[in-house]
Amino acid sequence: MALFKLLQSLNLSINKPQQSKTSKTKTVREYSLNTKSIEAKYKIEHKPISLLIAACSLTIPMSIVGCSQETKTTQNEASAISTQSQNKTVSNTPQKQELRVVYSKLGSLAVMRKQGTLEKSLAAKNFTVKWLEFAAGPQALEALNAGSLDIAATAESPPIFAQAAGTPLVYIATTRFNGRAVSFLVPKNSPIKSVADFKGKKISFQKASIAHYVLLKALQKEGLKLSDVKSLFLPPPDANVAFSQGGIDVWVIWEPYITRNVQANLGRVLIDGQGLQDIGSFYTTSRKFAKEHPEILKVFLEEFIKAEDWSQKNIDKLAELETGEVGIDVPTLKTIHSKAVYGLLPITDKVVNKQQQIADLWYAQGLLPKKVNVKDGVLTPEEYAAFTPDSIKSNK
């Protein structure tokens, strides 16, 4: 497992999978939160980030699609699943196969899972569906690399870092970008008025994520660098607690944390990602799966489009569908979903070029171990035509 081995060689660890619901409450209660304890648990960087650390520390902020979910699949379990998957027969045999999809508690993926529409559509093709939950992007993309996950969903940056680490992923579709999907939160009474005030401040974000990217872009606009701020690398649940107790000056984060902290009167949005990004999120698979099962990818995309259409037309029902599992009240969920944008887009030359610009930016910052050619993760026009629904092809 390339990413994890690199971390082990540096005696570092990726964001650890979250504990179960039973133990997570205890963890939060026992978390000793003051500035010193935060610095002790999560090293504050005053220098540019190491190439390998940045390359290995991937994360998947997914806006309303899902984030910081409890881990159902550990690294060892992923390896076991990968070993088992190698022994499965191909799809033209009577034996059923599994489509393994990243699990989400929010948005269209959650609708598909709860309504069982994907399972129904794939039954005729002798496929079942398994939803696998991961703490964040590193685990999901590493599972895809190991052959134990078939479809992942991420923001724009994690696939780039995964490509740099040798993951044979391919992009299957992208989304419309949403500048409101990530925001810069500051405490309610913070004296910070603009990004120019960030110099020397403690800023929490996840490495190699959309939060990392928009922070870099915001600093550049003000003539600042990452080395001008004190980077605090906290996974969202811990950052949430730290922010509520005054341990963070600025938190670059996504939903549902934005709305929940604003509604709790704990913080205010300084700025959001509008004007700092111009590309959406990505759905990815392994090159092997794309070549062997284009018909399965097409069913997945068709069902996702239906789930998006239902979500967009039924915001009230969507919130009611999600509330029990995520523990967020219906009015708050409706507020969160009111910021959403809908629509899958095809992988075009324009999309690839924009993604390449982002990859080049990361490399220029010294945060990638090698230059990434995004086209290495792109299929041929004929391969895309085999699984891309017409409704996506028409969205240019």
Side-chain angles (χ1 to χ4, degrees):
M1 291 186 160
L3 302 183
F4 288 96
K5 285 182 178 178
L6 283 171
L7 284 171
Q8 289 168 357
S9 70
L10 294 169
N11 195 29
L12 296 168
S13 62
I14 221 158
N15 290 340
K16 293 182 179 179
Q18 297 176 42
Q19 300 174 348
S20 66
K21 292 182 179 179
T22 302
S23 60
K24 185 165 65 174
T25 302
K26 181 179 179 182
T27 302
V28 172
R29 280 201 300 264
E30 292 180 351
Y31 192 93
S32 176
L33 267 170
N34 52 49
T35 302
K36 291 183 179 180
S37 66
I38 294 169
E39 293 176 356
K41 186 174 182 182
Y42 299 91
K43 183 179 179 182
I44 296 177
E45 296 289 346
H46 299 267
K47 299 178 180 180
I49 302 167
S50 157
L51 305 185
L52 292 179
I53 295 175
C56 299
S57 301
L58 308 179
T59 233
I60 307 183
M62 295 166 58
S63 184
I64 64 165
V65 176
C67 58
S68 300
Q69 301 157 339
E70 292 178 25
T71 300
K72 302 293 184 184
T73 305
T74 65
Q75 184 178 346
N76 290 335
E77 288 169 342
S79 298
I81 294 171
S82 177
T83 301
Q84 294 167 9
S85 68
Q86 294 172 7
N87 297 325
K88 288 187 177 182
T89 55
V90 295
S91 59
N92 61 358
T93 69
Q95 183 178 345
K96 284 186 178 294
Q97 286 191 280
E98 280 184 340
L99 173 67
R100 295 150 307 173
V101 186
V102 69
Y103 182 106
S104 178
K105 295 179 181 178
L106 291 173
S108 300
L109 282 176
V111 171
M112 292 170 68
R113 176 172 56 83
K114 286 181 171 289
Q115 294 183 342
T117 52
L118 184 59
E119 285 84 348
K120 293 173 185 175
S121 293
L122 287 180
K125 296 185 180 295
N126 215 31
F127 262 76
T128 60
V129 180
K130 187 170 186 178
W131 300 88
L132 298 175
E133 191 172 8
F134 300 90
Q139 291 87 343
L141 289 178
E142 187 63 34
L144 189 146
N145 183 43
S148 52
L149 181 69
D150 300 315
I151 297 177
T154 75
E156 78 293 310
S157 293
I160 291 171
F161 284 82
Q163 283 187 272
T167 301
L169 63 78
V170 293
Y171 300 86
I172 58 176
T174 186
T175 69
R176 299 184 188 280
F177 81 92
N178 181 7
R180 301 174 69 190
V182 62
S183 292
F184 293 71
L185 283 182
V186 296
K188 179 188 174 184
N189 298 317
S190 171
I192 295 175
K193 303 298 182 184
S194 70
V195 176
D197 299 327
F198 285 6
K199 190 169 184 177
K201 296 295 190 295
K202 294 177 183 177
I203 302 182
S204 178
F205 58 94
Q206 288 206 341
K207 297 176 188 176
S209 71
I210 187 174
H212 194 165
Y213 175 67
V214 297
L215 172 62
L216 176 62
K217 296 288 286 186
L219 292 172
Q220 283 184 331
K221 289 182 70 172
E222 294 295 332
L224 297 173
K225 298 177 293 184
L226 281 171
S227 57
D228 292 322
V229 304
K230 299 174 183 176
S231 298
L232 185 58
F233 306 122
L234 288 169
D238 288 345
N240 192 45
V241 180
F243 185 81
S244 70
Q245 297 192 8
I248 296 173
D249 296 316
V250 182
W251 184 17
V252 192
I253 192 59
W254 47 85
E255 296 289 5
Y257 297 100
I258 300 168
T259 298
R260 297 191 77 175
N261 276 276
V262 170
Q263 289 189 342
N265 211 27
L266 294 172
R268 58 183 172 85
V269 174
L270 184 70
I271 60 171
D272 58 29
Q274 296 183 90
L276 299 175
Q277 59 173 147
D278 61 357
I279 195 169
S281 298
F282 287 98
Y283 286 86
T284 56
T285 187
S286 68
R287 184 171 291 277
K288 181 176 184 293
F289 192 87
K291 287 182 175 295
E292 293 181 355
H293 303 294
E295 78 286 358
I296 303 303
L297 291 179
K298 186 171 185 179
V299 171
F300 169 80
L301 292 173
E302 288 172 342
E303 290 304 327
F304 186 90
I305 293 169
K306 293 176 186 176
E308 271 211 327
D309 184 61
W310 184 90
S311 300
Q312 192 171 10
K313 295 176 180 177
N314 297 277
I315 296 296
D316 290 351
K317 291 181 180 179
L318 173 61
E320 291 169 0
L321 188 73
E322 300 165 333
T323 184
E325 188 172 15
V326 299
I328 302 174
D329 61 87
V330 169
T332 299
L333 285 169
K334 289 172 64 176
T335 299
I336 291 170
H337 289 309
S338 69
K339 303 175 185 179
V341 295
Y342 296 90
L344 288 180
L345 306 175
I347 303 300
T348 62
D349 288 342
K350 182 178 179 181
V351 169
V352 173
N353 290 338
K354 285 185 177 181
Q355 185 74 337
Q356 186 64 56
Q357 290 172 7
I358 296 171
D360 292 343
L361 174 64
W362 284 121
Y363 183 72
Q365 291 291 315
L367 299 175
L368 286 177
K370 65 179 182 180
K371 191 173 179 63
V372 168
N373 184 359
V374 172
K375 288 183 178 179
D376 290 341
V378 176
L379 297 167
T380 66
E382 293 75 20
E383 287 173 317
Y384 279 119
F387 64 75
T388 304
D390 290 340
S391 59
I392 295 179
K393 293 176 185 177
S394 62
N395 291 332
K396 300 293 185 180

